[in-house]
Amino acid sequence: MAKLQQEVLQGTKKAKSINRFRWTFVIIILVGAVVNYLDRANLSVANPLISKEFGLSPLQMGVLLSAFLWPYALANLPAGWLVDKIGPKKMFTGAIGSWSIVSLLTAFTSSYSIFYTLRVLLGISESPFFPSATKAINTWFSKKDRGTPLAVVNTGSQIANGIAPPLLTALMLAYSWKIMFLVIGAAGFVVMAVWWFIYRDPSKFESVEINKDEQEEVQVQSSEKPIGWGGLFKYKSTWFMIFGNFGLVYTMWTFLTWLPGYLVADRGLTILKTGWIASIPFLMGIIGVPLGGIISDYFIRKGYKPIKARKIPLVCGAILAACAVIPIPFVSGVNAAITLITIAYFASSVPTGVIWTLATDVAPKNMVASLGSIQNFGGFIGAALAPIVTGAIVQATGSFEFVFLVGAVLLIVSAVSYGIFLKKPIEVK
């Protein structure tokens, strides 16, 4: 009996040690996500100053804001496949090192064309980041537990969006927008070094085991006919995930790229005041993203099937966001507008906590990063269109009224795609 108790005690200690270790690299990825999104948000924060310095029209600025997004969306397609083949450690390291170099080079930009080219390179270099994070967490956490760590990682984008307006605005006004890019680039190299020296594959640890259900799942999938990357497009579930994520990310990136400009141009705020007010919706996103993961994990523990559990916060968040977006252009007061924007952004951030987790539930075991990247591709096609369409609408109409209406419609499309049409995981036949 004493020997048995000792073995149980040792097993418990090992389990706690492994749990601490895997949450350590979740925190590293979280910090990396913050830096990742600061690199994306810096141009939005510097929008008024860069527009003035380079003499850009609203449409030209919209094109520059989307320069990151098109290549990022397209590069997601091979990025997920590479992560599945090479592994998250090398791909994460290469990604963060590459985008940090691009950020440093941007500080020395002297022309619109060079600026555009560097934003394109930034999009390509950032594309493996979230597929790598998803692959790592999918490997280390069981199905019933991975919703929360993936939501925590995705919270990094909301933390960055929340702190970016006041932090980057203060840095930009105290020094210059060029110094702002240099500081963010240097932060990326620090995260890259920490990840390289700490992260390990779970196969390096004898005591790390996935649960019994997933062991059986792996055995079943290993006996099935392997599916190629292109084969994922043959399944309806893949396309519904693409369309669904398109509407969600389009609306979020409308806020991310044009909120400071909207508050200055349409609501008459100063750049300094905008830096603080624009952070309010994004700070609420810090609550929304992990909430989505926590809710979905809760329903799984209650016995719901994984896909249904993920869809509950996803669909409810999209519908609530649409309801909040519609009246924004029709309210007169700044406080009312910010309140509605905050509700809309909070609600649209709730699905972000489960989007990548949903890919782990729908995809075959060996194609998790690939399907997650394909879904992300759909989302960032929407993100790439958002600043251009917004700039074109504002330039043509002189207001943001139709900007918010388009966003509301796409949020409903997203809720329908996920809620009604996405029903089951991809089954390889």
Side-chain angles (χ1 to χ4, degrees):
M1 178 65 74
K3 184 178 180 181
L4 178 61
Q5 290 177 338
Q6 186 176 7
E7 289 177 353
V8 171
L9 182 60
Q10 289 177 344
T12 302
K13 288 181 178 179
K14 283 184 179 181
K16 289 182 178 179
S17 177
I18 291 300
N19 191 53
R20 284 195 298 268
F21 177 78
R22 65 183 185 173
W23 274 100
T24 296
F25 76 73
V26 168
I27 299 304
I28 297 171
I29 298 174
L30 171 62
V31 175
V34 172
V35 176
N36 180 285
Y37 264 76
L38 286 176
D39 254 321
R40 303 182 191 191
N42 50 22
L43 181 58
S44 177
V45 171
N47 181 336
L49 293 183
I50 291 176
S51 293
K52 184 177 180 181
E53 182 173 329
F54 288 91
L56 306 179
S57 68
L59 182 56
Q60 286 177 311
M61 193 64 207
V63 171
L64 185 58
L65 286 166
S66 70
F68 159 86
L69 297 164
W70 287 107
Y72 178 81
L74 294 172
N76 259 271
L77 297 175
W81 178 80
L82 286 170
V83 171
D84 280 326
K85 294 295 181 181
I86 298 173
K89 181 172 184 175
K90 292 180 180 178
M91 290 300 294
F92 183 104
T93 303
I96 196 166
S98 299
W99 89 57
S100 297
I101 292 172
V102 171
S103 186
L104 295 177
L105 292 175
T106 304
F108 302 98
T109 301
S110 58
S111 70
Y112 180 82
S113 60
I114 295 175
F115 211 135
Y116 185 92
T117 301
L118 288 172
R119 295 299 288 186
V120 169
L121 294 175
L122 183 69
I124 296 172
S125 61
E126 287 196 3
S127 62
F129 177 76
F130 280 102
S132 297
T134 303
K135 187 74 173 182
I137 291 173
N138 181 70
T139 304
W140 275 92
F141 290 83
S142 67
K143 184 169 292 188
K144 70 179 188 302
D145 297 323
R146 69 174 65 115
T148 299
L150 274 169
V152 168
V153 167
N154 278 279
T155 305
S157 62
Q158 308 308 313
I159 295 172
N161 294 334
I163 66 175
L167 175 64
L168 298 185
T169 298
L171 189 61
M172 181 177 65
L173 294 179
Y175 300 97
S176 69
W177 64 265
K178 295 179 182 289
I179 294 297
M180 179 180 69
F181 278 86
L182 285 174
V183 171
I184 298 171
F189 285 114
V190 175
V191 179
M192 180 191 71
V194 173
W195 171 264
W196 178 257
F197 285 108
I198 289 182
Y199 181 79
R200 296 291 184 273
D201 189 90
S203 62
K204 305 293 183 182
F205 298 85
E206 294 181 359
S207 57
V208 177
E209 296 180 356
I210 53 179
N211 63 24
K212 183 178 179 181
D213 291 338
E214 294 200 58
Q215 287 176 341
E216 293 173 355
E217 180 184 343
V218 172
Q219 290 171 359
V220 170
Q221 290 184 356
S222 65
S223 64
E224 293 173 340
K225 181 181 178 181
I227 178 175
W229 173 84
L232 291 171
F233 290 94
K234 298 178 182 179
Y235 296 88
K236 293 180 181 179
S237 294
T238 301
W239 289 100
F240 292 135
M241 292 171 76
I242 290 173
F243 294 138
N245 205 29
F246 178 95
L248 283 171
V249 181
Y250 177 98
T251 306
M252 293 192 74
W253 273 84
T254 299
F255 289 130
L256 290 172
T257 54
W258 276 100
L259 183 55
Y262 165 72
L263 293 174
V264 171
D266 211 64
R267 296 292 175 173
L269 301 182
T270 64
I271 294 177
L272 182 59
K273 193 171 184 179
T274 295
W276 289 101
I277 292 180
S279 68
I280 297 173
F282 303 140
L283 289 172
M284 289 302 296
I286 298 175
I287 301 173
V289 173
L291 183 62
I294 292 169
I295 291 172
S296 67
D297 280 353
Y298 168 80
F299 280 108
I300 287 178
R301 288 192 291 270
K302 287 293 183 180
Y304 284 66
K305 292 183 178 180
I307 292 178
K308 185 176 181 180
R310 311 298 182 202
K311 284 164 53 172
I312 292 172
L314 198 162
V315 174
C316 292
I319 292 173
L320 176 58
C323 293
V325 162
I326 292 173
I328 290 173
F330 305 108
V331 298
S332 57
V334 175
N335 291 338
I338 290 296
T339 299
L340 288 171
I341 290 172
T342 300
I343 294 171
Y345 193 85
F346 165 79
S348 61
S349 70
V350 171
T352 305
V354 294
I355 288 293
W356 283 96
T357 316
L358 185 64
T360 70
D361 299 318
V362 176
K365 195 70 176 178
N366 65 330
M367 299 296 289
V368 166
S370 296
L371 183 60
S373 294
I374 290 171
Q375 179 181 228
N376 206 36
F377 158 77
F380 275 85
I381 289 295
L385 286 171
I388 297 177
V389 172
T390 300
I393 290 173
V394 172
Q395 188 163 306
T397 65
S399 75
F400 283 80
E401 182 174 323
F402 287 102
V403 171
F404 293 108
L405 293 178
V406 169
V409 170
L410 289 176
L411 285 166
I412 296 300
V413 170
S414 177
V416 171
S417 295
Y418 281 117
I420 296 177
F421 294 112
L422 182 63
K423 297 178 180 179
K424 58 183 181 180
I426 291 174
E427 298 176 353
V428 182
K429 298 180 180 179

